[in-house]
PDB file of all heavy atoms in Angstrom:
ATOM      1  N   CYS I 143     -16.593 -15.800   2.361  1.00  0.00           N
ATOM      2  CA  CYS I 143     -16.023 -14.757   3.215  1.00  0.00           C
ATOM      3  C   CYS I 143     -15.234 -15.443   4.322  1.00  0.00           C
ATOM      4  O   CYS I 143     -15.802 -16.194   5.106  1.00  0.00           O
ATOM      5  CB  CYS I 143     -17.129 -13.896   3.815  1.00  0.00           C
ATOM      6  SG  CYS I 143     -16.468 -12.701   4.978  1.00  0.00           S
ATOM      7  N   GLN I 145     -13.085 -13.697   6.475  1.00  0.00           N
ATOM      8  CA  GLN I 145     -12.819 -12.782   7.599  1.00  0.00           C
ATOM      9  C   GLN I 145     -14.148 -12.137   7.990  1.00  0.00           C
ATOM     10  O   GLN I 145     -14.357 -10.941   7.737  1.00  0.00           O
ATOM     11  CB  GLN I 145     -11.815 -11.684   7.190  1.00  0.00           C
ATOM     12  CG  GLN I 145     -10.498 -12.180   6.633  1.00  0.00           C
ATOM     13  CD  GLN I 145      -9.583 -12.738   7.687  1.00  0.00           C
ATOM     14  OE1 GLN I 145      -9.935 -12.794   8.874  1.00  0.00           O
ATOM     15  NE2 GLN I 145      -8.420 -13.180   7.292  1.00  0.00           N
ATOM     16  N   PRO I 146     -15.057 -12.906   8.620  1.00  0.00           N
ATOM     17  CA  PRO I 146     -16.413 -12.399   8.859  1.00  0.00           C
ATOM     18  C   PRO I 146     -16.455 -11.182   9.791  1.00  0.00           C
ATOM     19  O   PRO I 146     -17.444 -10.452   9.800  1.00  0.00           O
ATOM     20  CB  PRO I 146     -17.143 -13.593   9.474  1.00  0.00           C
ATOM     21  CG  PRO I 146     -16.081 -14.511   9.944  1.00  0.00           C
ATOM     22  CD  PRO I 146     -14.871 -14.286   9.096  1.00  0.00           C
ATOM     23  N   PHE I 147     -15.370 -10.956  10.540  1.00  0.00           N
ATOM     24  CA  PHE I 147     -15.331  -9.821  11.481  1.00  0.00           C
ATOM     25  C   PHE I 147     -14.736  -8.572  10.839  1.00  0.00           C
ATOM     26  O   PHE I 147     -14.618  -7.538  11.481  1.00  0.00           O
ATOM     27  CB  PHE I 147     -14.489 -10.198  12.713  1.00  0.00           C
ATOM     28  CG  PHE I 147     -13.304 -11.027  12.360  1.00  0.00           C
ATOM     29  CD1 PHE I 147     -12.178 -10.445  11.826  1.00  0.00           C
ATOM     30  CD2 PHE I 147     -13.347 -12.413  12.509  1.00  0.00           C
ATOM     31  CE1 PHE I 147     -11.097 -11.213  11.438  1.00  0.00           C
ATOM     32  CE2 PHE I 147     -12.263 -13.178  12.119  1.00  0.00           C
ATOM     33  CZ  PHE I 147     -11.136 -12.599  11.589  1.00  0.00           C
ATOM     34  N   HIS I 148     -14.336  -8.667   9.569  1.00  0.00           N
ATOM     35  CA  HIS I 148     -13.760  -7.494   8.896  1.00  0.00           C
ATOM     36  C   HIS I 148     -14.884  -6.546   8.480  1.00  0.00           C
ATOM     37  O   HIS I 148     -15.952  -6.997   8.064  1.00  0.00           O
ATOM     38  CB  HIS I 148     -12.968  -7.936   7.665  1.00  0.00           C
ATOM     39  CG  HIS I 148     -12.080  -6.869   7.117  1.00  0.00           C
ATOM     40  ND1 HIS I 148     -12.565  -5.832   6.361  1.00  0.00           N
ATOM     41  CD2 HIS I 148     -10.746  -6.659   7.242  1.00  0.00           C
ATOM     42  CE1 HIS I 148     -11.554  -5.036   6.033  1.00  0.00           C
ATOM     43  NE2 HIS I 148     -10.437  -5.513   6.549  1.00  0.00           N
ATOM     44  N   PRO I 149     -14.664  -5.212   8.570  1.00  0.00           N
ATOM     45  CA  PRO I 149     -15.728  -4.260   8.182  1.00  0.00           C
ATOM     46  C   PRO I 149     -16.257  -4.479   6.757  1.00  0.00           C
ATOM     47  O   PRO I 149     -17.431  -4.219   6.491  1.00  0.00           O
ATOM     48  CB  PRO I 149     -15.034  -2.899   8.280  1.00  0.00           C
ATOM     49  CG  PRO I 149     -13.900  -3.093   9.221  1.00  0.00           C
ATOM     50  CD  PRO I 149     -13.482  -4.529   9.117  1.00  0.00           C
ATOM     51  N   ILE I 150     -15.430  -4.977   5.861  1.00  0.00           N
ATOM     52  CA  ILE I 150     -15.890  -5.196   4.480  1.00  0.00           C
ATOM     53  C   ILE I 150     -16.884  -6.364   4.410  1.00  0.00           C
ATOM     54  O   ILE I 150     -17.655  -6.473   3.462  1.00  0.00           O
ATOM     55  CB  ILE I 150     -14.684  -5.416   3.534  1.00  0.00           C
ATOM     56  CG1 ILE I 150     -13.814  -4.151   3.488  1.00  0.00           C
ATOM     57  CG2 ILE I 150     -15.135  -5.781   2.118  1.00  0.00           C
ATOM     58  CD1 ILE I 150     -12.565  -4.258   2.630  1.00  0.00           C
ATOM     59  N   ALA I 151     -16.895  -7.197   5.428  1.00  0.00           N
ATOM     60  CA  ALA I 151     -17.787  -8.370   5.427  1.00  0.00           C
ATOM     61  C   ALA I 151     -19.102  -8.117   6.168  1.00  0.00           C
ATOM     62  O   ALA I 151     -19.952  -9.013   6.237  1.00  0.00           O
ATOM     63  CB  ALA I 151     -17.065  -9.554   6.058  1.00  0.00           C
ATOM     64  N   ARG I 152     -19.296  -6.897   6.670  1.00  0.00           N
ATOM     65  CA  ARG I 152     -20.497  -6.607   7.460  1.00  0.00           C
ATOM     66  C   ARG I 152     -21.772  -6.884   6.650  1.00  0.00           C
ATOM     67  O   ARG I 152     -21.938  -6.389   5.538  1.00  0.00           O
ATOM     68  CB  ARG I 152     -20.471  -5.147   7.919  1.00  0.00           C
ATOM     69  CG  ARG I 152     -21.635  -4.777   8.836  1.00  0.00           C
ATOM     70  CD  ARG I 152     -21.434  -3.400   9.428  1.00  0.00           C
ATOM     71  NE  ARG I 152     -20.242  -3.362  10.268  1.00  0.00           N
ATOM     72  CZ  ARG I 152     -19.477  -2.283  10.438  1.00  0.00           C
ATOM     73  NH1 ARG I 152     -19.760  -1.161   9.825  1.00  0.00           N
ATOM     74  NH2 ARG I 152     -18.416  -2.323  11.220  1.00  0.00           N
ATOM     75  N   ASP I 153     -22.651  -7.699   7.228  1.00  0.00           N
ATOM     76  CA  ASP I 153     -23.939  -8.052   6.596  1.00  0.00           C
ATOM     77  C   ASP I 153     -23.799  -8.774   5.254  1.00  0.00           C
ATOM     78  O   ASP I 153     -24.723  -8.776   4.439  1.00  0.00           O
ATOM     79  CB  ASP I 153     -24.833  -6.810   6.414  1.00  0.00           C
ATOM     80  CG  ASP I 153     -25.165  -6.139   7.742  1.00  0.00           C
ATOM     81  OD1 ASP I 153     -25.275  -6.880   8.745  1.00  0.00           O
ATOM     82  OD2 ASP I 153     -25.292  -4.901   7.779  1.00  0.00           O
ATOM     83  N   VAL I 154     -22.638  -9.353   5.031  1.00  0.00           N
ATOM     84  CA  VAL I 154     -22.434 -10.155   3.814  1.00  0.00           C
ATOM     85  C   VAL I 154     -22.528 -11.622   4.221  1.00  0.00           C
ATOM     86  O   VAL I 154     -21.932 -12.014   5.220  1.00  0.00           O
ATOM     87  CB  VAL I 154     -21.038  -9.865   3.197  1.00  0.00           C
ATOM     88  CG1 VAL I 154     -20.791 -10.750   1.980  1.00  0.00           C
ATOM     89  CG2 VAL I 154     -20.910  -8.391   2.827  1.00  0.00           C
ATOM     90  N   PRO I 155     -23.290 -12.445   3.475  1.00  0.00           N
ATOM     91  CA  PRO I 155     -23.388 -13.857   3.860  1.00  0.00           C
ATOM     92  C   PRO I 155     -22.029 -14.557   3.809  1.00  0.00           C
ATOM     93  O   PRO I 155     -21.133 -14.123   3.071  1.00  0.00           O
ATOM     94  CB  PRO I 155     -24.338 -14.458   2.817  1.00  0.00           C
ATOM     95  CG  PRO I 155     -24.693 -13.393   1.867  1.00  0.00           C
ATOM     96  CD  PRO I 155     -24.061 -12.106   2.289  1.00  0.00           C
ATOM     97  N   GLU I 156     -21.883 -15.626   4.581  1.00  0.00           N
ATOM     98  CA  GLU I 156     -20.610 -16.355   4.600  1.00  0.00           C
ATOM     99  C   GLU I 156     -20.240 -16.846   3.198  1.00  0.00           C
ATOM    100  O   GLU I 156     -19.074 -16.848   2.813  1.00  0.00           O
ATOM    101  CB  GLU I 156     -20.697 -17.554   5.551  1.00  0.00           C
ATOM    102  CG  GLU I 156     -19.388 -18.305   5.648  1.00  0.00           C
ATOM    103  CD  GLU I 156     -19.494 -19.623   6.388  1.00  0.00           C
ATOM    104  OE1 GLU I 156     -20.611 -20.165   6.502  1.00  0.00           O
ATOM    105  OE2 GLU I 156     -18.444 -20.111   6.841  1.00  0.00           O
ATOM    106  N   THR I 157     -21.273 -17.255   2.457  1.00  0.00           N
ATOM    107  CA  THR I 157     -21.010 -17.697   1.091  1.00  0.00           C
ATOM    108  C   THR I 157     -22.181 -17.318   0.195  1.00  0.00           C
ATOM    109  O   THR I 157     -23.328 -17.267   0.658  1.00  0.00           O
ATOM    110  CB  THR I 157     -20.743 -19.223   1.041  1.00  0.00           C
ATOM    111  OG1 THR I 157     -20.434 -19.593  -0.315  1.00  0.00           O
ATOM    112  CG2 THR I 157     -21.918 -20.023   1.545  1.00  0.00           C
ATOM    113  N   PHE I 158     -21.899 -16.979  -1.042  1.00  0.00           N
ATOM    114  CA  PHE I 158     -22.952 -16.667  -2.010  1.00  0.00           C
ATOM    115  C   PHE I 158     -22.437 -16.925  -3.427  1.00  0.00           C
ATOM    116  O   PHE I 158     -21.225 -17.072  -3.641  1.00  0.00           O
ATOM    117  CB  PHE I 158     -23.477 -15.234  -1.868  1.00  0.00           C
ATOM    118  CG  PHE I 158     -22.459 -14.147  -2.103  1.00  0.00           C
ATOM    119  CD1 PHE I 158     -22.339 -13.536  -3.343  1.00  0.00           C
ATOM    120  CD2 PHE I 158     -21.619 -13.733  -1.076  1.00  0.00           C
ATOM    121  CE1 PHE I 158     -21.410 -12.513  -3.567  1.00  0.00           C
ATOM    122  CE2 PHE I 158     -20.681 -12.722  -1.289  1.00  0.00           C
ATOM    123  CZ  PHE I 158     -20.582 -12.115  -2.532  1.00  0.00           C
ATOM    124  N   PHE I 180     -12.117 -12.423   0.877  1.00  0.00           N
ATOM    125  CA  PHE I 180     -12.996 -13.340   0.142  1.00  0.00           C
ATOM    126  C   PHE I 180     -12.160 -14.278  -0.727  1.00  0.00           C
ATOM    127  O   PHE I 180     -11.154 -13.856  -1.303  1.00  0.00           O
ATOM    128  CB  PHE I 180     -13.963 -12.571  -0.775  1.00  0.00           C
ATOM    129  CG  PHE I 180     -14.942 -11.720  -0.028  1.00  0.00           C
ATOM    130  CD1 PHE I 180     -14.694 -10.363   0.170  1.00  0.00           C
ATOM    131  CD2 PHE I 180     -16.109 -12.270   0.511  1.00  0.00           C
ATOM    132  CE1 PHE I 180     -15.581  -9.577   0.875  1.00  0.00           C
ATOM    133  CE2 PHE I 180     -17.002 -11.479   1.218  1.00  0.00           C
ATOM    134  CZ  PHE I 180     -16.734 -10.129   1.407  1.00  0.00           C
ATOM    135  N   PRO I 219     -27.156  -7.755  -5.232  1.00  0.00           N
ATOM    136  CA  PRO I 219     -27.098  -7.082  -3.924  1.00  0.00           C
ATOM    137  C   PRO I 219     -25.859  -7.427  -3.094  1.00  0.00           C
ATOM    138  O   PRO I 219     -25.280  -6.529  -2.471  1.00  0.00           O
ATOM    139  CB  PRO I 219     -28.371  -7.573  -3.215  1.00  0.00           C
ATOM    140  CG  PRO I 219     -29.298  -7.982  -4.317  1.00  0.00           C
ATOM    141  CD  PRO I 219     -28.437  -8.452  -5.452  1.00  0.00           C
ATOM    142  N   GLU I 220     -25.431  -8.685  -3.078  1.00  0.00           N
ATOM    143  CA  GLU I 220     -24.264  -9.039  -2.248  1.00  0.00           C
ATOM    144  C   GLU I 220     -22.997  -8.336  -2.757  1.00  0.00           C
ATOM    145  O   GLU I 220     -22.139  -7.928  -1.966  1.00  0.00           O
ATOM    146  CB  GLU I 220     -24.009 -10.560  -2.251  1.00  0.00           C
ATOM    147  CG  GLU I 220     -25.123 -11.384  -1.657  1.00  0.00           C
ATOM    148  CD  GLU I 220     -26.090 -11.905  -2.722  1.00  0.00           C
ATOM    149  OE1 GLU I 220     -26.237 -11.247  -3.781  1.00  0.00           O
ATOM    150  OE2 GLU I 220     -26.703 -12.955  -2.485  1.00  0.00           O
ATOM    151  N   ILE I 221     -22.889  -8.214  -4.068  1.00  0.00           N
ATOM    152  CA  ILE I 221     -21.704  -7.569  -4.666  1.00  0.00           C
ATOM    153  C   ILE I 221     -21.691  -6.082  -4.307  1.00  0.00           C
ATOM    154  O   ILE I 221     -20.663  -5.523  -3.910  1.00  0.00           O
ATOM    155  CB  ILE I 221     -21.726  -7.763  -6.209  1.00  0.00           C
ATOM    156  CG1 ILE I 221     -21.655  -9.244  -6.568  1.00  0.00           C
ATOM    157  CG2 ILE I 221     -20.613  -6.952  -6.880  1.00  0.00           C
ATOM    158  CD1 ILE I 221     -20.382  -9.948  -6.211  1.00  0.00           C
ATOM    159  N   LEU I 222     -22.855  -5.442  -4.420  1.00  0.00           N
ATOM    160  CA  LEU I 222     -22.952  -4.014  -4.075  1.00  0.00           C
ATOM    161  C   LEU I 222     -22.697  -3.801  -2.587  1.00  0.00           C
ATOM    162  O   LEU I 222     -22.085  -2.805  -2.182  1.00  0.00           O
ATOM    163  CB  LEU I 222     -24.329  -3.475  -4.470  1.00  0.00           C
ATOM    164  CG  LEU I 222     -24.573  -3.385  -5.987  1.00  0.00           C
ATOM    165  CD1 LEU I 222     -26.050  -3.154  -6.275  1.00  0.00           C
ATOM    166  CD2 LEU I 222     -23.725  -2.270  -6.613  1.00  0.00           C
ATOM    167  N   LYS I 223     -23.163  -4.744  -1.776  1.00  0.00           N
ATOM    168  CA  LYS I 223     -22.933  -4.645  -0.319  1.00  0.00           C
ATOM    169  C   LYS I 223     -21.433  -4.660  -0.015  1.00  0.00           C
ATOM    170  O   LYS I 223     -20.930  -3.840   0.765  1.00  0.00           O
ATOM    171  CB  LYS I 223     -23.665  -5.811   0.386  1.00  0.00           C
ATOM    172  CG  LYS I 223     -23.392  -5.971   1.862  1.00  0.00           C
ATOM    173  CD  LYS I 223     -23.838  -4.792   2.697  1.00  0.00           C
ATOM    174  CE  LYS I 223     -25.341  -4.778   2.924  1.00  0.00           C
ATOM    175  NZ  LYS I 223     -25.717  -3.610   3.778  1.00  0.00           N
ATOM    176  N   VAL I 224     -20.709  -5.573  -0.657  1.00  0.00           N
ATOM    177  CA  VAL I 224     -19.258  -5.677  -0.427  1.00  0.00           C
ATOM    178  C   VAL I 224     -18.565  -4.376  -0.860  1.00  0.00           C
ATOM    179  O   VAL I 224     -17.748  -3.821  -0.118  1.00  0.00           O
ATOM    180  CB  VAL I 224     -18.658  -6.884  -1.202  1.00  0.00           C
ATOM    181  CG1 VAL I 224     -17.129  -6.830  -1.172  1.00  0.00           C
ATOM    182  CG2 VAL I 224     -19.153  -8.197  -0.610  1.00  0.00           C
ATOM    183  N   ILE I 225     -18.908  -3.875  -2.043  1.00  0.00           N
ATOM    184  CA  ILE I 225     -18.241  -2.657  -2.546  1.00  0.00           C
ATOM    185  C   ILE I 225     -18.581  -1.457  -1.649  1.00  0.00           C
ATOM    186  O   ILE I 225     -17.710  -0.648  -1.315  1.00  0.00           O
ATOM    187  CB  ILE I 225     -18.616  -2.395  -4.023  1.00  0.00           C
ATOM    188  CG1 ILE I 225     -18.134  -3.553  -4.905  1.00  0.00           C
ATOM    189  CG2 ILE I 225     -18.003  -1.078  -4.519  1.00  0.00           C
ATOM    190  CD1 ILE I 225     -18.660  -3.511  -6.339  1.00  0.00           C
ATOM    191  N   GLY I 226     -19.837  -1.358  -1.240  1.00  0.00           N
ATOM    192  CA  GLY I 226     -20.235  -0.265  -0.341  1.00  0.00           C
ATOM    193  C   GLY I 226     -19.489  -0.338   0.992  1.00  0.00           C
ATOM    194  O   GLY I 226     -18.986   0.673   1.497  1.00  0.00           O
ATOM    195  N   ASN I 227     -19.399  -1.533   1.555  1.00  0.00           N
ATOM    196  CA  ASN I 227     -18.638  -1.711   2.801  1.00  0.00           C
ATOM    197  C   ASN I 227     -17.178  -1.319   2.605  1.00  0.00           C
ATOM    198  O   ASN I 227     -16.561  -0.687   3.481  1.00  0.00           O
ATOM    199  CB  ASN I 227     -18.682  -3.177   3.249  1.00  0.00           C
ATOM    200  CG  ASN I 227     -20.025  -3.576   3.853  1.00  0.00           C
ATOM    201  OD1 ASN I 227     -20.877  -2.733   4.118  1.00  0.00           O
ATOM    202  ND2 ASN I 227     -20.215  -4.864   4.066  1.00  0.00           N
ATOM    203  N   ARG I 230     -16.615   2.408   2.646  1.00  0.00           N
ATOM    204  CA  ARG I 230     -16.661   2.977   4.013  1.00  0.00           C
ATOM    205  C   ARG I 230     -15.406   2.612   4.797  1.00  0.00           C
ATOM    206  O   ARG I 230     -14.888   3.413   5.573  1.00  0.00           O
ATOM    207  CB  ARG I 230     -17.940   2.521   4.716  1.00  0.00           C
ATOM    208  CG  ARG I 230     -19.179   3.139   4.054  1.00  0.00           C
ATOM    209  CD  ARG I 230     -20.488   2.537   4.510  1.00  0.00           C
ATOM    210  NE  ARG I 230     -21.607   3.186   3.832  1.00  0.00           N
ATOM    211  CZ  ARG I 230     -22.229   2.681   2.759  1.00  0.00           C
ATOM    212  NH1 ARG I 230     -21.858   1.523   2.244  1.00  0.00           N
ATOM    213  NH2 ARG I 230     -23.228   3.341   2.195  1.00  0.00           N
TER     214      ARG I 230
END
Side-chain angles (χ1 to χ4, degrees):
C143 175
Q145 305 286 2
F147 38 78
H148 194 283
I150 296 178
R152 184 171 297 149
D153 300 327
V154 177
E156 182 190 21
T157 182
F158 62 96
F180 295 96
E220 297 95 332
I221 298 294
L222 291 167
K223 172 63 77 179
V224 169
I225 298 170
N227 285 350
R230 293 169 180 99

